[in-house]
Amino acid sequence: MTHATAHPIAQKSFFPWIARWLFTTNHKDIGTLYLVLSGTLFFIGGLLAMLIRMELFHPGLSLFQTNFYNQLITLHGLIMIFGAIMPSFVGLANWMIPLMIGAPDMALPRLNNWSFWILPFAFALLISTLFLPGAGPNFGWTMYAPLSTTFGPPSTDFLIVAIHLMGISSILGAINIIATILNLRAPGMTLMKMPLFVWGWLITAFLLITAMPVLAGVVTMMLFDRHFGTSFFNAAGGGDPLLYQHLFWFFGHPEVYIMILPGFGIISEIIPTFSRKKLFGYTFMVLAIASIAFLSFIVWAHHMFTTGIGLTAQVFFMFSTMLIAVPTGVKVFNWVATMFRGAMTFETPMLFALAFVVLFTIGGFSGLMLAIVPADYQYQDTYFVVAHFHYVLVPGALFSIIAGIYYWLPKWTGHYYNEKLGQLHFWLTVIFVNVTFFPMHFLGLAGMPRRIPDYALQYTSFNEIASIGAFILGAAQFIFLYNIIMSIRGGKKAPARVWEGAHGLEWTVDSPPPYHTFQTPPKMHSS
């Protein structure tokens, strides 16, 4: 054997199973890696949430001191947003976009591999801050200056590097998705024939490329304020702490839609399938997604109504925020119209899609309440805001991810999941999401501030209800994990058409699906 053929990396002969996953450029393998990582981080972030709810079960500092409680709040938010939700959607994009548009793989497969393998190191850095001397980041996931700059612990620097790595991964992934969709579509598949999931991701990728550099810039300014003598956010040096908020929320509000637009696409695939009808108003659905993406960039200061911004700015941001309800309402109307007089069945993906439509709409209504300036003065920094964004992100982003996994899992594994377990998972999840988060509306309206480990006695009952709901909600997710594992290991064989019906599969276009829909494409012989 020559030295060249013995090279372990070139030949992938050294620990072949590890090499297969480490060096893979197959979009399905990379999609699986994203989903495994996001699932792992989902359970880690969920564990932090359980610790938070344990502390809040009774008034008084019963388990943790304030500093550690604030560390839990900070890492729970960052892990769930950047670790659980976003990589899940990227994993689904890697798996499904090439299959839906008839591409043999992603346009930039090696970049695809690199953009994934950045993430485990980023989250190792982030989670390590909990164990570093001098405490972990304790200023909330929004990292407001001067809490993070002047008063942040030394571990804040690890957090900044971790966010840079996550941002690099997101931007590279977005570039890859745009290049794939624009260049590798099957002949005859015009843009307006693409499935809605592909459209949702195309627009989301542009949001990522536009918003993530702003986050990178603001955390770099934090680093400079901490170590290089600048005063971007220090009023004593001529800076302004509000500049941080403007920059952060200019990223932060598009980020909300980065976490929901791919979910809109998933729901737009599932509802037509189980209604046995074509999607109602396809063109308007595409325009609605584009409108939401545009409006998301001009509403950021609705997070800052109580900071003293001018009356004209308050009025502008109030009305522009309320305007987002219009394209969102178009989407909800079109989903309902798709179901109207359809031959509906209620398998687990459809149940989660229906719960998404109902509960996400509740989150949208509370968002409209927060958009009204005089009301926001009362709601701001209370548990009403916590209830609002959890109703958007849990029944919104998370339910759409779960629905997508149940929907496509038989195609990925070749085996059905256990439908009874899926339905049990759905009912436990949808009931206890509401038991957990709905009482928080009442806590907020009664005046309970967020991000506190202790509270007045009158808030005890609703906090106990929310904590019990959270514990059962967390436990229910192990049913989901078990169901996925059993589908991978075997079970009832899935046919080529998993969800039979007039609509067919997830192909919502007039042109025929490509020859290798869900099969491995034939090997290309190099010259």
Side-chain angles (χ1 to χ4, degrees), residues 209-375:
I209 288 174
T210 313
M212 292 306 294
V214 180
L215 178 65
V218 77
V219 296
T220 303
M221 293 160 80
M222 279 173 56
L223 192 68
F224 274 60
D225 269 16
R226 287 172 58 81
H227 295 294
F228 299 107
T230 57
S231 298
F232 292 113
F233 310 128
N234 183 0
D240 187 353
L242 284 189
L243 173 62
Y244 177 90
Q245 293 193 34
H246 278 292
L247 290 171
F248 179 84
W249 288 116
F250 189 79
F251 148 80
H253 202 78
E255 170 66 17
V256 173
Y257 292 97
I258 288 166
M259 291 189 286
I260 203 69
L261 293 185
F264 287 169
I266 293 169
I267 300 306
S268 299
E269 302 297 323
I270 291 172
I271 286 178
T273 297
F274 295 98
S275 301
R276 273 74 180 177
K277 282 175 65 183
K278 286 188 71 171
L279 184 71
F280 180 87
Y282 172 91
T283 303
F284 287 99
M285 293 290 261
V286 172
L287 293 174
I289 294 176
S291 303
I292 291 168
F294 170 74
L295 290 170
S296 73
F297 275 106
I298 62 169
V299 298
W300 76 90
H302 67 218
H303 297 271
M304 301 171 58
F305 284 151
T306 58
T307 61
I309 61 174
L311 180 61
T312 304
Q314 287 184 337
V315 171
F316 169 79
F317 286 110
M318 177 173 72
F319 283 116
S320 58
T321 301
M322 295 168 76
L323 191 60
I324 288 189
V326 176
T328 307
V330 167
K331 299 191 75 61
V332 173
F333 171 81
N334 284 16
W335 289 324
V336 173
T338 304
M339 291 183 276
F340 183 65
R341 292 188 174 177
M344 292 172 64
T345 53
F346 299 98
E347 289 84 357
T348 307
M350 184 61 162
L351 290 175
F352 273 103
L354 291 171
F356 169 96
V357 174
V358 174
L359 298 180
F360 177 78
T361 303
I362 292 175
F365 281 140
S366 61
L368 274 175
M369 295 170 68
L370 289 164
I372 301 167
V373 175

Side-chain angles (χ1 to χ4, degrees), residues 92 270 274 347-350 352 399-412 415-419 421-426 429 476-477 479-481 483-484 498-499:
L92 292 172
I270 291 172
F274 295 98
E347 289 84 357
T348 307
M350 184 61 162
F352 273 103
F399 275 23
S400 62
I401 290 166
I402 293 172
I405 290 172
Y406 276 123
Y407 182 54
W408 286 313
L409 191 65
K411 274 295 181 185
W412 298 344
H415 302 98
Y416 282 107
Y417 58 86
N418 185 310
E419 184 64 36
L421 283 180
Q423 303 236 354
L424 175 64
H425 173 229
F426 166 76
T429 300
Q477 304 321 303
I479 300 173
F480 182 43
L481 179 63
N483 212 352
I484 292 172
V498 175
W499 310 110

Side-chain angles (χ1 to χ4, degrees), residues 16-216:
W17 186 86
I18 295 175
R20 180 229 162 148
W21 292 102
L22 197 58
F23 304 113
T24 181
T25 54
N26 183 304
H27 70 99
K28 299 176 186 177
D29 287 350
I30 294 170
T32 303
L33 288 169
Y34 269 109
L35 290 168
V36 169
L37 176 68
S38 63
T40 304
L41 291 167
F42 170 67
F43 281 98
I44 292 172
L47 173 63
L48 300 182
M50 296 303 103
L51 295 175
I52 291 166
R53 290 312 318 174
M54 285 168 62
E55 176 60 52
L56 293 174
F57 191 80
H58 286 304
L61 294 174
S62 51
L63 292 174
F64 311 123
Q65 291 304 309
T66 304
N67 193 44
F68 184 70
Y69 178 85
N70 287 335
Q71 294 174 45
L72 294 178
I73 290 281
T74 303
L75 285 189
H76 167 69
L78 290 170
I79 288 171
M80 284 303 200
I81 290 169
F82 293 107
I85 300 298
M86 290 175 67
S88 292
F89 279 132
V90 179
L92 292 172
N94 264 283
W95 250 104
M96 298 312 303
I97 286 176
L99 305 180
M100 286 180 158
I101 66 174
D105 204 305
M106 298 295 282
L108 306 164
R110 291 186 181 183
L111 192 72
N112 203 16
N113 175 286
W114 188 43
S115 64
F116 168 77
W117 281 110
I118 292 171
L119 286 180
F121 297 97
F123 287 103
L125 268 178
L126 181 63
I127 295 168
S128 73
T129 58
L130 261 184
F131 309 101
L132 293 176
N138 54 4
F139 32 70
W141 77 273
T142 52
M143 304 174 285
Y144 277 179
L147 290 175
S148 56
T149 51
T150 306
F151 305 107
S155 58
T156 304
D157 301 329
F158 281 64
L159 170 65
I160 291 169
V161 174
I163 287 174
H164 271 298
L165 291 174
M166 295 173 210
I168 292 168
S169 172
S170 294
I171 291 169
L172 295 180
I175 291 169
N176 206 352
I177 286 168
I178 291 170
T180 303
I181 294 170
L182 295 185
N183 294 308
L184 295 184
R185 298 191 307 279
M189 182 176 279
T190 62
L191 287 175
M192 293 309 291
K193 286 185 177 179
M194 295 193 310
L196 252 293
F197 178 68
V198 180
W199 258 117
W201 247 114
L202 179 62
I203 293 169
T204 300
F206 280 105
L207 284 181
L208 276 167
I209 288 174
T210 313
M212 292 306 294
V214 180
L215 178 65

